[in-house]
Amino acid sequence: MAGPVQASHLAPLLEVRGLAFDYGGVQAVQDCSFDVSNGGITALIGGNGAGKTTSVLSVSGARRARKGHIRFDGADILGLPAHEVVERGLALVPEGRLVFEQLSVHENLLIAGHTARSRRRLKDNLDYVYDRFPRLQERRQQNAGSLSGGEQQMLAIGRGLMTSPKLLILDEPSLGLSPILVSTIFRLIRDLHNDGISILLVEQNLHQALAIADYAYVLEKGRVVQSGTGHELLNDPKVKEAYLGVA
Amino acid sequence: MTLFLQTTLNGLMLGGIYALAAVGFSLIFGVIGIVNLTHGVFVIAGAYLALLFYTELGLDPLLSMLPVGALLFAVGWVYQRTIIDWAISRASVEASLVVTFGMAMILRNLLQLWFGPDVQTITPFYSFFSISLGPFRVDMVRLVALGSSMVLLLGLTLLLARTHFGRAMRAVAQQPLAAALSGLNVKRIHAMTFGVSAALAGASGAIIGIVQPFSAASEVAWTLNAFMVVVLGGVGSPAGALVGGLLLGLINSYTAQYFGPALTQAAMFLVLVLMLLLRPTGLLGNPYGESR
Ligand SMILES: Nc1ncnc2c1ncn2[C@@H]1O[C@H](COP(=O)(O)OP(=O)(O)OP(=O)(O)O)[C@@H](O)[C@H]1O
Ligand SMILES: [Mg+2]
């Protein structure tokens, strides 16, 4: 696969080139390249074990890529530790939510609201998150571990928003949620996008992900094997056959 | 009956000190998952430093808790940033067990070289006072020791519950990856946790110095006590340390009174084994959840 084709002609917010990562010799991501446009919704799709999570963990600094370039907002960020990547305005809402279960909902948000980048806006950010998620407001003193799966996902997203991100990466936010909640989450993603936050969405829920994505990349065995606008991929025979269960 | 109550009183007073001496050990285990076998050295180093401040500058041990705590905070910080971090990142969290054990031996010998093998005590003017409450007698130093321990434990409780640093420690304990993704510098929090732990150990050493004789060799007993306190009370919280410390104080006090001082160690181990069999998470459990 050659360099990715970018739908937008603006400089991309995030550029990933030739990313490679292995877990003790087992290649999880190899020569992975993609762009995330400024102000858009980009999707990263692929089956189990395709390397999606490993890619976004590498981008966010939680894993140290072995090779490649990661450029975010005009600066190279490869090699920066995760907490410094957050300070640049890139927040990852990790797969599996990983809320701080024994901390209250409010404390979960306070922790993330304390970055040097977002500290001054703590009050505004709290208002924004509680406004977006009234459920969290109702349960603010409850331990995060006592929330339902959907509420924990909202909290995980809220925690990401507390860092005032330019780019929010969501790793399988709809995993394990009921169809109604999945729709809620996708509506929310659109709303966040309308509020000016760029989105990179990692999903196995292809129909809905491709429906809202401006542009999408298909990952297989750690490589980008296909890319196009959400609409193009939805109607692509190969994608249909491999992922959408349509022959 | 009076003897029983007096024994109970003595046990509880001793227990307050055990709690303070152990709470840092408990904190490191809860937050980082490391069994820090160097903990007793921090306690005894605190006692020696308080002794130095007392003999050289005439500083009361209760006041010297501040400079002693500050010095040991720095020691704990550097210790984590260097040796502990090297061991964890090159080998594993389990490797830290061997490393801290080895460091404890080295440091014990260094303390012996510097301060000599003799048993020491710190004796401020109030060492010889005691208060009578009806038929009961309370040593002034023990009362002072208990009071200071409670104040410091309360301070730590507030730190953990109310401050950003406290929340950060709890977050790192539960979910290090998410903590880093939320903008926390996990390595820095680990170093701070070691610093706080060593500072509290040092402060407890200053108090122990006025209550009991100590020497470099007693560091082993203080590490063991800390371990016992965690097994009894549970990991990571000041409340757990307090419960565990008070219980340990009572066990020691009753055993010494009714079965003879020689049997306190045996009684401790008996309770240790029973606890591990019956309630391995300690009486108060782990406030950081099942992640560890
Ligand atoms: N911690 C790990 N240790 C070893 N191998 C791992 C680890 N995490 C992932 N892998 C392997 O790396 C490959 C890519 O995994 P990754 O989690 O990035 O895939 P994914 O696309 O996110 O999958 P899913 O959709 O199931 O979440 C897989 O083969 C996986 O088995
Ligand atoms: Mg994944």
Side-chain angles (χ1 to χ4, degrees):
Chain A
M1 165 101 206
V5 190
Q6 185 55 50
S8 149
H9 34 260
L10 294 167
L13 181 58
L14 175 72
E15 284 178 64
V16 176
R17 292 290 174 276
L19 195 70
F21 185 90
D22 54 277
Y23 290 101
V26 182
Q27 286 284 334
V29 171
Q30 37 196 329
D31 193 21
C32 174
S33 302
F34 60 89
D35 282 353
V36 174
S37 63
N38 208 337
I41 300 181
T42 306
L44 197 58
I45 60 180
N48 288 112
K52 305 181 296 295
T53 297
T54 307
S55 298
V56 294
L57 283 175
S58 305
V59 166
S60 69
R63 297 265 186 279
R64 185 77 175 261
R66 182 169 52 77
K67 261 192 350 211
H69 298 283
I70 305 172
R71 222 176 147 69
F72 176 69
D73 201 17
D76 284 321
I77 57 164
L78 184 80
L80 287 187
H83 65 271
E84 282 178 31
V85 173
V86 174
E87 297 287 1
R88 304 289 177 101
L90 188 161
L92 168 64
V93 179
E95 184 179 58
R97 293 136 204 169
L98 311 186
V99 297
F100 306 120
E101 296 197 353
Q102 309 288 317
L103 268 63
S104 72
V105 166
H106 195 64
E107 287 180 317
N108 268 265
L109 297 177
L110 284 182
I111 293 247
H114 219 82
T115 64
R117 169 187 184 78
S118 64
R119 198 173 298 157
R120 276 170 293 114
R121 276 170 280 180
L122 181 68
K123 180 87 181 47
D124 293 343
N125 284 340
L126 276 173
D127 289 345
Y128 180 80
V129 170
Y130 282 139
D131 199 45
R132 279 253 168 270
F133 307 106
R135 283 293 197 95
L136 297 183
Q137 168 96 59
E138 286 161 31
R139 289 163 173 64
R140 61 199 296 252
Q141 298 306 338
Q142 227 167 289
N143 271 3
S146 69
L147 299 180
S148 72
E151 290 162 350
Q152 290 194 5
Q153 185 61 58
M154 292 173 193
L155 179 56
I157 296 174
R159 195 173 56 184
L161 293 172
M162 290 301 293
T163 66
S164 299
K166 286 187 188 129
L167 171 62
L168 191 67
I169 304 181
L170 300 154
D171 193 350
E172 303 214 31
S174 72
L175 193 71
L177 301 187
S178 71
I180 294 180
L181 270 174
V182 171
S183 308
T184 312
I185 293 282
F186 276 94
R187 211 174 318 120
L188 170 79
I189 294 170
R190 252 190 231 277
D191 290 346
L192 296 176
H193 167 246
N194 288 337
D195 285 347
I197 301 170
S198 307
I199 307 276
L200 173 61
L201 177 61
V202 174
E203 265 298 341
Q204 297 215 31
N205 207 322
L206 294 209
H207 273 297
Q208 307 206 44
L210 291 178
I212 65 167
D214 308 316
Y215 206 80
Y217 297 86
V218 182
L219 220 60
E220 239 171 57
K221 296 189 183 134
R223 291 175 198 274
V224 173
V225 293
Q226 209 169 353
S227 66
T229 63
H231 189 73
E232 281 165 11
L233 290 186
L234 261 183
N235 296 306
D236 185 284
K238 269 190 295 181
V239 173
K240 274 186 175 170
E241 190 185 303
Y243 299 105
L244 297 177
V246 191
Chain B
M1 193 58 193
T2 311
L3 178 64
F4 176 75
L5 289 177
Q6 178 74 56
T7 311
T8 307
L9 200 61
N10 292 347
L12 291 176
M13 298 221 154
L14 197 59
I17 305 169
Y18 286 154
L20 181 63
V23 74
F25 177 86
S26 174
L27 197 63
I28 288 179
F29 188 51
V31 173
I32 319 183
I34 285 180
V35 175
N36 176 24
L37 296 178
T38 325
H39 191 75
V41 175
F42 292 155
V43 173
I44 294 304
Y48 275 118
L49 282 172
L51 178 66
L52 274 185
F53 277 119
Y54 185 64
T55 51
E56 304 297 317
L57 303 173
L59 194 60
D60 186 274
L62 293 177
L63 291 177
S64 70
M65 282 199 301
L66 275 174
V68 168
L71 280 169
L72 273 147
F73 181 93
V75 170
W77 172 291
V78 171
Y79 186 46
Q80 196 284 334
R81 269 282 148 117
T82 54
I83 292 164
I84 299 289
D85 195 42
W86 295 336
I88 294 186
S89 49
R90 280 170 211 194
S92 63
V93 169
E94 289 74 32
S96 63
L97 202 65
V98 181
V99 171
T100 58
F101 181 71
M103 283 305 292
M105 290 208 287
I106 295 170
L107 294 172
R108 185 198 318 151
N109 285 316
L110 283 179
L111 284 178
Q112 234 147 25
L113 272 178
W114 284 327
F115 297 104
D118 298 342
V119 172
Q120 305 278 1
T121 47
I122 308 174
T123 44
F125 68 93
Y126 45 86
S127 291
F128 309 103
F129 295 172
S130 62
I131 302 171
S132 297
L133 295 165
F136 305 116
R137 221 177 52 94
V138 180
D139 291 338
M140 189 67 179
V141 278
R142 293 203 167 196
L143 201 60
V144 163
L146 183 68
S148 331
S149 297
M150 294 302 113
V151 168
L152 287 172
L153 286 175
L154 184 68
L156 179 63
T157 305
L158 291 177
L159 179 82
L160 285 169
R162 300 280 170 83
T163 67
H164 174 66
F165 171 54
R167 282 192 291 271
M169 278 200 280
R170 290 185 287 142
V172 166
Q174 286 170 40
Q175 207 52 265
L177 173 59
L181 293 173
S182 304
L184 296 179
N185 183 343
V186 173
K187 288 198 168 192
R188 186 165 158 267
I189 304 285
H190 281 178
M192 298 273 281
T193 305
F194 253 84
V196 168
S197 162
L200 289 166
S204 79
I207 299 179
I208 286 164
I210 58 174
V211 178
Q212 286 189 357
F214 62 92
S215 70
S218 28
E219 64 89 7
V220 182
W222 286 104
T223 300
L224 187 64
N225 282 344
F227 194 81
M228 282 292 302
V229 166
V230 166
V231 171
L232 288 171
V235 161
S237 72
L242 186 59
V243 168
L246 294 179
L247 276 174
L248 184 63
L250 288 175
I251 293 169
N252 276 357
S253 179
Y254 290 142
T255 314
Q257 182 65 47
Y258 295 108
F259 301 97
L263 287 179
T264 53
Q265 291 264 333
M268 256 169 56
F269 280 114
L270 183 66
V271 174
L272 181 75
V273 170
L274 285 177
M275 272 308 285
L276 289 174
L277 289 175
L278 299 176
R279 198 175 154 83
T281 54
L283 290 177
L284 295 199
N286 180 352
Y288 303 127
E290 308 306 306
S291 60
R292 194 144 262 148

